[in-house]
Amino acid sequence: MRRYGSALSESAFSKTVTLAMTGASGAQYGLRLLQCLLAARVRVWLLLSDAARIVIETETEVTLPEDEARTASFLCELYGAEDGQLILFGKRDWFSPVASGTGTASSLVICPASGGTLSAIACGASNNLIERAADVALKERRQLILVPREAPYSEIHLENMLKLTRMGAMILPASPGFYQKPQSVEDLVDFVVARILSQLEIEQTLLPPWGIR
């Protein structure tokens, strides 16, 4: 089994969320979401595709160690994770909880979600742990949030998103709003992250509710 971080622990964390990052542009969304989940004392099971690692290093100032064990330690230190709060699973750890319907129930967020990932999930490919985790979420009727970052959408993308929506997944595009009068790129990122946190029913202060100023 390939898993990295502190020992699995129920501990006193409020809930468990599985966060997967794939190779779409928008690594900032996934990293900011990870930071906010940890700050909210949510236990996070993290899945990173090989392409996600490349995008993170291309789009952000974060450089992940090549070794997965050191990657887990690096992210724990970077975002101040508590002992046992952040677990990184290897892409073929078929014995991880997210690989089976008998594992501990948790919400799954794929942020960002590439077009290839949408396609694989829509047809039940399950070629890696991210795709398998999504397959489990769908068959067990658990919460699955997909955050695509693509423009424009092709007919294939739209068909896959419609298909997944009908299966019970939520498509939450990385499309920030502007009514909060953002002053920075970080504000735009926070808008999308706030919407994800709200869907997870996790309290957030990144974005005030509509009508409250």
Side-chain angles (χ1 to χ4, degrees), residues 31-173:
L31 292 178
R32 180 61 168 150
L33 178 58
L34 174 60
Q35 181 183 24
C36 291
L37 289 172
L38 295 174
R41 302 201 73 252
V42 172
R43 183 171 63 165
V44 179
W45 292 341
L46 182 62
L47 313 175
L48 294 174
S49 72
D50 292 338
R53 287 175 164 270
I54 295 173
V55 174
I56 287 171
E57 295 186 11
T58 301
E59 295 186 341
T60 76
E61 300 300 318
V62 175
T63 300
L64 299 177
E66 293 185 9
D67 179 79
E68 288 183 303
R70 288 192 295 125
T71 295
S73 297
F74 172 82
L75 290 172
C76 285
E77 182 176 354
L78 180 64
Y79 296 126
E82 299 179 38
D83 184 44
Q85 189 180 10
L86 173 61
I87 306 295
L88 172 63
F89 292 103
K91 61 183 178 181
R92 299 198 183 280
D93 185 355
W94 305 119
F95 289 96
S96 66
V98 300
S100 172
T102 60
T104 303
S106 67
S107 301
L108 170 59
V109 182
I110 303 181
C111 177
S114 66
T117 299
L118 291 175
S119 175
I121 297 171
C123 69
S126 294
N127 289 317
N128 55 51
L129 190 58
I130 293 175
E131 295 169 12
R132 172 56 184 169
D135 189 51
V136 168
L138 290 172
K139 78 183 185 71
E140 298 293 329
R141 302 296 192 268
R142 295 175 185 167
Q143 186 177 33
L144 173 59
I145 301 173
L146 302 164
V147 186
R149 210 302 312 162
E150 187 63 83
Y153 291 130
S154 71
E155 184 175 348
I156 295 172
H157 297 142
L158 294 169
E159 287 179 345
N160 285 330
M161 286 190 280
L162 177 58
K163 185 177 180 180
L164 288 165
T165 298
R166 288 173 171 167
M167 291 178 185
M170 170 172 285
I171 306 297
L172 198 162

